[in-house]
Amino acid sequence: MTPLTSKVCVVGDFAVGKTSVTERFVNNQFSDKYLSTVGVKIDTKEIDSQALGMMHKLVIWDVAGSDEFGATEFAYLRGASGYIFVADGTRPDTLAVVEHLHGQITQTYGPAPFVLLVNKRDLESEWIVSDEYIDALADAYENVYRTSAKTGDDVEQAIRRLAELIVEKEVRSA
């Protein structure tokens, strides 16, 4: 049986850890070297889907950081089955960017499954984002995770949850 293939876009502001989260999930690796993504970087990973009883191939589009989408970014997002929004817990403005980008995407392409990763949990002592704010986001958006691409904390769990949400949507619309 052919695996379900889903396009997933990773979006968020500059330097929040989008590429690092993707690299952690796809290759279980982390690099301290910061290289800004230009355009889009595409990776794939197949995971065993319990709900499908078969493999689920995630084609992950790591979109260059931005606080506002233009025509090019929207072209990258076309056809996405779900989104990984990434913010930086040490920079509260990146959560406002995520909320703005989520609104832009929903307005342009309609609602889609997503998870929100508040990244850099390994630097939690430096977080400026309050627990109350993250709890409020969790109430509003449901699937909010405090992650660390560096240590791997909750990265796999969050993206597997997104894969489940995508499968649930596919099953409902079939």
Side-chain angles (χ1 to χ4, degrees), residues 114-155:
F114 71 92
V115 291
L116 168 55
L117 281 54
V118 183
N119 196 36
K120 303 189 182 180
R121 183 172 167 185
D122 53 293
L123 302 174
E124 203 161 20
S125 64
E126 300 173 31
W127 277 24
I128 298 170
V129 177
S130 71
D131 288 339
E132 293 78 20
Y133 185 50
I134 294 173
D135 291 344
L137 286 170
D139 289 342
Y141 295 121
E142 250 181 85
N143 294 291
V144 177
Y145 294 83
R146 298 166 202 235
T147 61
S148 170
K150 186 173 188 173
T151 65
D153 288 349
D154 285 341
V155 171

Side-chain angles (χ1 to χ4, degrees), residues 70-84:
T72 301
E73 291 83 7
F74 278 120
Y76 293 144
L77 303 177
R78 186 172 294 116
S81 299
Y83 300 93
I84 302 166

